[in-house]
């Protein structure tokens, strides 16, 4: 934590007029090329190339990313701070998404823990490991809201809800920024890609932008995030990497953000492909004047903009502001004083223990008929089946930085070490996306010999993440047939899912008695899953996304509007499908436990509240089952009548509560009436008087109800 203290001291120093003057005078000594050099960010292939070292020497480089290890950051930093004319240190960026070497659950999984403290802890641990390797800046957290499970990057975010997404965003920013800089990305609306197709165009109204897509960015800014990354997508024809409304009006003027904005990988050059710039100079001018300070990987600022500035086509003041934002960030991080940064040694054992705890918390139990789970310790024979059962790569997830397969505990290993008295039979059954069923016979034979079969099925790690959209969301390859063949043996089946996209698995939901959604849980996946399978841990995760019944329902999210003809079973002319129910298979916020919880007696602290008030909802939650468990008590609100139709429910609070068997507790959740505001007809934030319905329950589809009125 010495680094934290160190950087805090520097931000105080920086706040002093002397430090600001130093930067002013530094700017005054810079040539135009050196200024634009500070805005130039390039990717290295593990270490800086000779050409990149030369750029550093010439002052034409602001930072590098993908330089791996302090042994590689140090030499090029030495060039920057000893051989360049002005000795300005470089930033070292890296995509430290959910761990550096110790890989934690993917962000989507972690969001299901509904535990922002856990997210802060894993970000802190990842930052510590990265800082020890010379990294000063991560391109995380990804805070894009995603309502479309086809979009591969849904795995990297916190799911569909802006409230949960905002808490997770702030927590991760705080965690990372104890040691390194964070980047909230991708600003903005990237998750709204049409048809879930990666990089696709978006159509987002200003209201939806402000109410759904922007809140997690605002939360990151309020948490002090150092940088934002502009997105690849266009919004109704205006690309995010050249969008003065987003990066100027909203981000800087309305929110007062004083950090810097970096483009995404070549997204400045891509303004040409979008069709809003005829060539590199125009693309660079559009991006820089819109508020994108740093150019990642296009080299356009440094190559093409000097001529435009000299021709007065870009005001020097615009360049200077961008440069100052980057220099201030370097100052705030402490790079001028300690360009190689304090060396820390991350605590290995604690980090592994944290990975296991958070992995356990992230698991969502979707189904558990006849209490198939937890498995008894003295189960005589368990068949462990499936292409992911002994995979050491896939649990690392789609973006695992320096995560190593040898660090991963597989499900098979986890089960073996938990059940030493049990005979564990293993059969792979099939590959993840093979078409061959040759391995089925062995799998079926193993299942027949066992008292229970654990099938570990799902996606390969590279089937989600960037550039990994899917148009079908079933199990790839022949896995579904494998599942059916094993279920047909009559041996009780536990389906353990590993996946980055939410999957649509109707057959399994109908026919498999127990299903656990584990996403990709990182290095401790196997231990955490075995902890849950054997009941050493009682599952408490909840879905951070809606699971549809069919592809045709997409987009399907819990906080939709009511429509003028909401679904009615007996009325044909209401909003529905002929061939599938309107409801999801599993709603947002859903997740079972090995115990049961009963909700009763929802009371509000007041029947009438003013905008400045806080309403406390108190609901009694009882553990009515036979073992201790943790419940995520969720509070939703619905504004019944407003000038603009409001969502049927909006999450406004939650609390994780641990109760012993038989214990009950009155749980208080406080909601500020101001937080019920929406964007009115005039696009100003407003809380309108009128009644609000409040729901407290175990998911977005259930709960106790109460009402209160907002008065003037
Ligand atoms: C991704 C970003 C990432 C960047 C740098 C891009 O392709 O969209 O999320 O930070 O590459 O690796």
């Amino acid at each position: 934590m010495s680094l934290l203290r160190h950087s805090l001291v520097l931000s105080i120093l920086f706040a002093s007029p002397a430090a600001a003057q130093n930067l002013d005078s530094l700017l005054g000594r810079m040539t135009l090329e050196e200024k634009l050099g500070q805005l130039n960010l390039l990717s290295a292939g593990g270490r800086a190339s000779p050409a990149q070292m030369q750029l550093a020497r010439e002052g034409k480089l602001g930072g590098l990313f993908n330089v791996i290890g302090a042994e590689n950051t140090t030499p090029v930093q030495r060039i920057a701070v000893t051989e360049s004319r002005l000795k300005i240190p470089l930033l070292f960026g890296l995509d430290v998404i959910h761990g550096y070497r110790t890989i934690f659950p993917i962000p989507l999984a972690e969001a299901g823990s509904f535990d922002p403290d856990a997210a802060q802890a894993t970000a802190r641990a990842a930052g510590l490991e990265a800082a020890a390797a010379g990294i000063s800046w991560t391109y995380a957290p990804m805070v894009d809201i995603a309502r479309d499970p086809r979009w591969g990057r849904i795995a990297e975010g916190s799911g569909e809800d802006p409230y949960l997404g905002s808490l997770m965003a702030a927590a991760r920013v705080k965690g990372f920024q104890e040691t390194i800089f964070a980047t909230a990305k991708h600003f903005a609306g990237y998750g709204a890609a049409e048809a879930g197709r990666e990089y696709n165009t978006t159509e987002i109204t200003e209201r939806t932008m402000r109410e759904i897509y922007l809140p997690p960015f605002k939360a990151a800014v309020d948490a002090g995030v150092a940088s934002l990354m502009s997105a690849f997508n266009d919004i109704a024809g205006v690309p995010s990497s050249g969008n003065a409304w987003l990066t100027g009006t909203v981000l800087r003027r309305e929110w007062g953000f004083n950090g810097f904005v970096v483009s995404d990988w070549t997204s400045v050059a891509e303004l040409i492909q979008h069709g809003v710039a005829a060539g590199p100079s125009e693309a660079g001018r559009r991006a820089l004047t819109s508020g994108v300070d740093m150019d990642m990987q296009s080299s356009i600022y440094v190559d093409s903009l000097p001529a435009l500035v000299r021709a007065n086509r870009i005001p020097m003041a615009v360049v200077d502001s961008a440069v100052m934002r980057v220099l201030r960030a370097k100052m705030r991080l402490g790079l001028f004083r300690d360009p190689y940064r304090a060396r820390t040694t991350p605590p290995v054992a604690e980090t592994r223990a944290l990975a296991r705890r958070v992995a356990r918390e992230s698991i969502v139990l979707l189904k558990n008929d006849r209490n198939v789970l937890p498995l008894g310790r003295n189960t005589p024979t368990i068949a462990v089946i499936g292409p992911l059962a002994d995979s050491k790569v896939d649990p690392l997830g789609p973006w695992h930085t320096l995560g190593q397969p040898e660090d991963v505990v597989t499900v098979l290993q986890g089960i073996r070490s938990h059940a030493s008295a049990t005979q564990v039979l293993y059969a792979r059954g099939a590959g993840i996306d093979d078409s061959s069923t040759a391995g089925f016979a062995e799998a079926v034979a193993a299942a027949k010999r066992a008292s229970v079969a654990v099938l570990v099925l799902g996606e390969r790690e590279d089937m989600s993440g960037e550039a990994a959209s899917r148009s079908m969301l079933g199990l790839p390859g022949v896995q579904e047939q494998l599942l059916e063949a094993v279920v047909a043996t009559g041996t009780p089946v536990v389906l353990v899912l590993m996946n980055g996209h939410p999957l649509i698995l109707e057959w399994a939901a109908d026919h498999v008695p127990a299903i656990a959604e584990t996403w990709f849980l990182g290095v401790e996946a196997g231990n955490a899953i075995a902890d849950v399978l054997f009941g050493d841990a009682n599952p408490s995760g909840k879905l951070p996304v809606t699971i549809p019944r069919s592809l045709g329902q997409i987009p399907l999210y819990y906080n939709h509007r009511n429509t003028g003809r909401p679904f009615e079973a007996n009325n044909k002319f209401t909003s529905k499908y002929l061939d599938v129910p309107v409801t999801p298979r599993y709603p947002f916020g859903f997740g079972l436990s090995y115990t049961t919880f009963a909700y009763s007696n929802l009371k509000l602290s007041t029947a009438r509240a003013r905008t400045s008030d806080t309403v406390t909802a108190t609901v009694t939650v009882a553990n009515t089952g036979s073992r201790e468990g943790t419940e995520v008590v969720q509070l939703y609100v619905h504004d019944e009548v407003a000038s603009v139709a409001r969502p049927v429910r909006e999450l406004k609070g939650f609390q994780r509560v641990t109760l012993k068997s038989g214990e009950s507790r009155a749980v208080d959740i406080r909601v500020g009436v101001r937080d019920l505001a929406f964007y009115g007809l005039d696009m100003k934030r407003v809380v309108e008087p009128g009644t609000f319905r409040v729901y407290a329950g175990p998911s977005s589809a259930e709960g106790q109800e109460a009402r209160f009125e907002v008065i003037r």
Side-chain angles (χ1 to χ4, degrees), residues 107-115 158 164 168 360-366 517 519 539-547 586-593 595 597 599 621 630-634 636 651 654-657 697-700 702:
L108 182 65
E110 194 180 62
S113 70
F114 278 65
D115 187 351
S158 294
L164 178 62
M168 288 292 171
R360 278 197 301 237
E361 274 189 15
S362 304
I363 295 170
V364 186
L365 183 64
L366 294 176
E517 174 59 83
W519 312 104
S540 59
K542 300 279 188 173
L543 287 174
V545 283
T546 300
I547 307 287
Y586 298 110
F588 173 87
F590 175 80
L592 301 171
S593 160
T595 189
F597 297 100
Y599 285 70
V621 183
T630 299
E631 168 71 330
V632 179
V633 180
Q634 300 159 47
Y636 297 87
L651 184 68
F654 58 82
Q655 220 182 95
R656 288 171 55 85
V657 186
S699 80
S700 62
E702 299 156 86

Side-chain angles (χ1 to χ4, degrees), residues 3-64:
L3 213 56
L4 168 64
R5 258 181 266 124
H6 172 74
S7 61
L8 284 181
V9 170
L10 280 165
S11 33
I12 295 162
L13 269 182
F14 168 64
S16 73
Q21 246 175 25
N22 283 344
L23 288 188
D24 281 342
S25 91
L26 177 59
L27 184 74
R29 283 181 284 135
M30 292 170 86
T31 64
L32 177 58
E33 278 71 17
E34 283 165 340
K35 288 178 181 175
L36 292 164
Q38 282 305 305
L39 311 182
N40 188 26
L41 175 66
L42 294 175
S43 172
R47 66 167 67 133
S49 66
Q52 290 171 334
M53 292 199 180
Q54 186 55 25
L55 288 175
R57 203 168 276 125
E58 291 169 8
K60 289 186 176 162
L61 197 58
L64 283 171

Side-chain angles (χ1 to χ4, degrees), residues 341-375:
R341 311 212 58 210
R343 295 283 162 260
T344 48
T345 317
V348 178
E350 282 142 64
T351 309
R352 280 300 289 215
L354 176 68
R356 184 165 177 169
R357 174 172 75 77
V358 178
R360 278 197 301 237
E361 274 189 15
S362 304
I363 295 170
V364 186
L365 183 64
L366 294 176
K367 192 176 173 194
N368 192 20
D369 282 1
R370 306 186 305 274
N371 293 331
V372 172
L373 289 175
L375 304 176

Side-chain angles (χ1 to χ4, degrees), residues 148-151 191-198 200-202 469-471 551 554-555:
D148 193 324
R150 292 171 295 187
W151 190 53
E194 271 186 8
R197 201 186 75 218
E198 181 67 308
N200 204 2
T201 197
T202 72
S469 294
R470 294 183 64 204
S471 75
L551 268 179
I554 297 171

